[in-house]
Amino acid sequence: MSGTAAGVEARLPIRSDLDLVWLRQHVRQAAAALGFGLVEQTKLVTAASELARNTLVYGGGGEMAADRVTDGRGAQGLRLTFTDRGPGIADLERALSDGYTSGDGLGMGLGGARRLVHEFALDSTPGDGTTVTVTSWATRPPRQREEHR
């Protein structure tokens, strides 16, 4: 593993374009500290960038929480939670559909961000804000062979 996992956990505000720069830098450094390869780092930073911009532009700002996670088999990952108290998303199915964009982000939308991470959860209530939680794993032990009888 490259580096240590120190400094992985954080709560970062999302209130300006400068905050987006710091957020991307933190996600890349945290992913590297957990042993993510360059391709996986890039995927996670790209997803985080899109989700942070959505939080800023559509949610009126909010925060990102970054947390180191492990599973019962020794895999390490990074969970990012983006929260806002904006207007929420009225049509989740449409917002997650391919090609849908309601603005000038990276153009990949929520569906694109979802494809770049291993786990994706979206909770939104119109008038009450949105929370998007994504998790990517740096290491995944090989699956044990299943026996078929």
Side-chain angles (χ1 to χ4, degrees):
M1 199 181 299
S2 62
T4 66
V8 169
E9 297 194 358
R11 303 292 177 266
L12 300 173
I14 303 171
R15 292 184 173 55
S16 70
D17 286 337
L18 184 58
D19 289 337
L20 300 180
V21 173
W22 293 118
L23 182 139
R24 285 190 296 265
Q25 183 178 19
H26 176 81
V27 171
R28 182 164 308 275
Q29 290 173 350
L34 290 172
F36 281 68
L38 184 58
V39 171
E40 288 303 314
Q41 287 177 40
T42 302
K43 287 180 179 180
L44 185 56
V45 169
T46 302
S49 184
E50 180 72 11
L51 296 171
R53 178 149 299 281
N54 286 354
T55 300
L56 179 62
V57 172
Y58 304 113
E63 82 167 10
M64 181 200 75
D67 297 290
R68 176 185 178 197
V69 292
T70 57
D71 72 2
R73 300 172 300 175
Q76 290 196 88
L78 187 59
R79 177 173 297 136
L80 306 175
T81 304
F82 298 84
T83 307
D84 69 58
R85 295 289 159 232
I89 301 170
D91 188 344
L92 292 176
E93 187 175 324
R94 182 173 179 213
L96 287 166
S97 67
D98 285 343
Y100 177 76
T101 181
S102 59
D104 51 347
L106 296 176
M108 61 186 279
L110 291 170
R114 179 174 57 179
R115 284 190 298 278
L116 292 171
V117 297
H118 296 115
E119 299 169 20
F120 182 96
L122 172 62
D123 181 27
S124 187
T125 304
D128 197 31
T130 301
T131 299
V132 180
T133 304
V134 298
T135 305
S136 285
W137 297 94
T139 55
R140 282 274 191 192
R143 284 190 169 173
Q144 297 198 5
R145 296 182 78 181
E146 294 179 19
E147 291 184 25
H148 298 283
R149 295 182 190 194

